[in-house]
Amino acid sequence: MSDGCTSCGRKGGCDHRKGEMFAAMEAKLAELYPERRFDRRVETDYVLTEGLPAALANTLARRLAAPVIEVPLEPEEYCRHLYVLCLGRPPGLIEARAGLVAVDDLELAGEGEPDGSRIEELYLRVSLSEVAPFAAVQQVLVSAERLGPDLMIVESTRAGVFDPVLLPRMQKVVAIIAEHGLRHLDFGDMNEPPAGFSAGDYGERFGGLPALANYFFYPQPCSSITTTVVRGSAGAQSRPEVVVSGL
């Protein structure tokens, strides 16, 4: 199973839901990319409702009893990310990377022991498209290790949700997304390039071909690793555009 869904126990329920999902994606592709080229997206009237990411984050935090961190747009991305902390303890590594907490304030598990300079956290990352009323969910492993006073944070994303421990929460996330008026797209159905579309210069920039998810959310490969070094001994940085939602 690539993604959890709320119909997984009903025979036939998934087929109907997926048929509607594919139809919605096909229609939006035709609207956004009339020239059928990844590098020729046109402007549309869709706007992600102001306040929706924060409202969704608050609902997720309340119903899942978990901290949820909203991070700002990256330069080339066209989606908002909400990180639901599933395994780990706050404050977490995503907050440290965003400058919301100082590196010196983090407590690494087992710190002071031979292998105690490393920590791992598991998240569900909810991506909210800025170009269509779509949302999608991935599991993300975030790890860190000390580099003297600094912290090297590595984010590893997977193209979907695979670990059984995450599936109950995944099902709740899908239901909450629908309650907020967005259509959930399964990452497992967006890992291949759309037929008949030109990749433009994507191969030169990222290698390979853009998957369907790249047309709606962000350009980088869906399964990717991002490494960030956060400086220590400097205190928390002020980042007013980053919002943390939690208990």
Side-chain angles (χ1 to χ4, degrees), residues 9-114:
R10 301 204 322 253
K11 184 177 180 180
C14 191
D15 292 339
H16 175 69
R17 182 181 63 83
K18 293 238 176 178
E20 293 180 345
M21 180 186 72
F22 284 125
M25 288 194 292
E26 184 176 347
K28 190 55 69 172
L29 271 178
E31 178 185 348
L32 292 171
Y33 301 90
E35 297 184 47
R36 302 175 73 84
R37 287 178 56 97
F38 178 76
D39 55 354
R40 298 284 179 84
R41 187 177 72 242
V42 301
E43 296 295 329
T44 69
D45 294 333
Y46 176 74
V47 177
L48 184 63
T49 304
E50 184 178 358
L52 178 57
L56 181 56
N58 284 322
T59 303
L60 290 168
R62 185 178 68 255
R63 300 260 288 273
L64 300 178
V68 180
I69 303 96
E70 179 188 346
V71 301
L73 282 168
E74 293 296 328
E76 287 194 314
E77 291 185 343
Y78 24 97
C79 72
R80 297 277 176 178
H81 292 306
L82 305 177
Y83 286 80
V84 182
L85 180 61
C86 297
L87 293 176
R89 60 185 181 186
L93 298 174
I94 292 298
E95 291 158 275
R97 191 177 66 178
L100 292 167
V101 297
V103 168
D104 298 344
D105 292 339
L106 292 179
E107 295 183 13
L108 300 191
E111 198 158 24
E113 301 175 6

Side-chain angles (χ1 to χ4, degrees), residues 109-198:
E111 198 158 24
E113 301 175 6
D115 61 347
S117 60
R118 180 179 175 85
I119 187 172
E120 290 188 347
E121 298 171 348
L122 192 60
Y123 293 82
L124 288 176
R125 187 176 77 174
V126 183
S127 298
L128 310 177
S129 175
E130 291 262 336
V131 299
F134 296 155
V137 187
Q138 297 172 265
Q139 73 176 64
V140 176
L141 177 67
V142 183
S143 62
E145 58 183 276
R146 294 285 188 185
L147 297 176
D150 304 331
L151 198 65
M152 182 175 70
I153 299 176
V154 179
E155 177 178 359
S156 302
T157 60
R158 299 188 67 183
V161 178
F162 300 87
D163 289 6
V165 69
L166 295 176
L167 294 183
R169 283 189 174 184
M170 170 66 181
Q171 293 170 4
K172 293 180 181 179
V173 170
V174 171
I176 293 169
I177 286 172
E179 290 173 11
H180 284 263
L182 298 174
R183 178 179 292 278
H184 170 256
L185 305 182
D186 290 338
F187 255 102
D189 295 312
M190 297 191 294
N191 287 329
E192 299 295 327
F197 278 71
S198 169

